[in-house]
Every structure is written in C-alpha cells, then in structure tokens.
Amino acid sequence: MNCKLIWSAFMLALTTTGAIAQDISQSQVPAVVLNSFQQKFPKAKKVDWELKGNVYEAEFETGLFGTDQEAWFQHNGRLLRYKTDINKRDLPKNVVDRVKRDFPGYRIDDAKRITAEQKVSYAFEVKSPKEEWKLVVDSQGNILEKVRD
C-alpha cells in the first residue's frame, strides 16, 4: 500500500509539473546534470531538454533503431526516473500472466519499462475492439494504476 501511495504521489508530481514545463537548450542544463546524464547514457542522441519545476527531463534516443527514452534528474545530477520503450515480448511473465487473467482477449501495446528509486514497473496499454486501458504494473504483476482510455 505504501508503495502505491509513493508511486501515485510521484506520478502526480510529474504530471502536474508538466503544465509548467519549458524547453531549454543544453547550455541551460547545469553541468552536474549533464555529466550525470552523459555517464548514464553515453550513446544518447537527439537529446531534448525540458525543465519541469526543478526537475530536468531529457528525451533522447539510443540504439540502431532509435529507441525512445526519457530520464528525469534533480538539479544535483541524481537520476530520479528513467523510462524506455520496450517490446511487449520483453515484459516479465508475471506481468503478461496478469494481463491474460484480468484482460482476456486484449492485446498489449506501447510498452515501457520505468525505473524509479531502484524499483521497476511497466506502463502499457491493453486494447480490445470495445475498450482500452492504460496500466502501470510492477514486476510481480500487481496493478499499480489502471485508467480507462
């Protein structure tokens, strides 16, 4: 329960600061944040920066096919959260089993792996011909967030 509360508060903070986000140039990002980013993601390309409150968000690509990724940093360079697109085949078995049980006949789309505070969760959509849901599920298959789309 405590994990769900922390996760919800974190998601709320990120979504509410989005309303006041501003694009910034790399020259406006503190050196400590840039150094941390470059150490953690040395192969990043097409990097775009935003400032959301006091959190620096980098949107970038890596790999041969340009996998979309996002990373959020505190002003001191500490990585808060990291999100990357993944193939639905890369979802853990516990996650897939939960979807099959709770959403029979639905297909999984737009899967992402999210790492925050050294905890991994997965965000994705489940779709049927009649409805769609956005889910956030932890590695054990517990649904942390469920929103009808």
Side-chain angles (χ1 to χ4, degrees), residues 51-68:
L51 180 59
K52 295 180 177 183
N54 62 352
V55 175
Y56 293 86
E57 179 186 346
E59 294 182 16
F60 58 101
E61 296 178 359
T62 61
L64 184 62
F65 299 108
T67 302
D68 290 333

Side-chain angles (χ1 to χ4, degrees), residues 12-73:
L12 179 63
L14 285 177
T15 56
T16 56
T17 57
I20 55 171
Q22 63 183 34
D23 291 335
I24 59 174
S25 68
Q26 183 169 310
S27 64
Q28 294 174 286
V29 178
V32 68
V33 173
L34 276 177
N35 289 338
S36 180
F37 173 76
Q38 291 166 347
Q39 285 178 348
K40 289 176 178 29
F41 307 102
K43 296 182 180 182
K45 52 189 172 187
K46 297 184 180 179
V47 182
D48 290 319
W49 288 95
E50 285 187 6
L51 180 59
K52 295 180 177 183
N54 62 352
V55 175
Y56 293 86
E57 179 186 346
E59 294 182 16
F60 58 101
E61 296 178 359
T62 61
L64 184 62
F65 299 108
T67 302
D68 290 333
Q69 301 182 48
E70 297 174 40
W72 289 261
F73 291 87

Side-chain angles (χ1 to χ4, degrees), residues 73-122:
F73 291 87
Q74 285 181 323
H75 63 86
N76 62 4
R78 181 172 167 259
L79 179 63
L80 295 171
R81 183 173 181 239
Y82 167 65
K83 178 172 74 172
T84 184
D85 288 352
I86 62 171
N87 190 300
K88 64 184 175 186
R89 292 180 300 228
D90 295 328
L91 290 168
K93 183 179 182 328
N94 291 336
V95 173
V96 175
D97 289 348
R98 179 66 184 255
V99 170
K100 286 180 181 177
R101 187 182 82 216
D102 291 3
F103 297 90
Y106 284 67
R107 76 178 194 281
I108 297 173
D109 274 341
D110 197 24
K112 297 173 184 348
R113 181 178 40 248
I114 302 165
T115 306
E117 298 296 324
Q118 299 173 347
K119 293 185 179 169
V120 176
S121 59
Y122 300 88

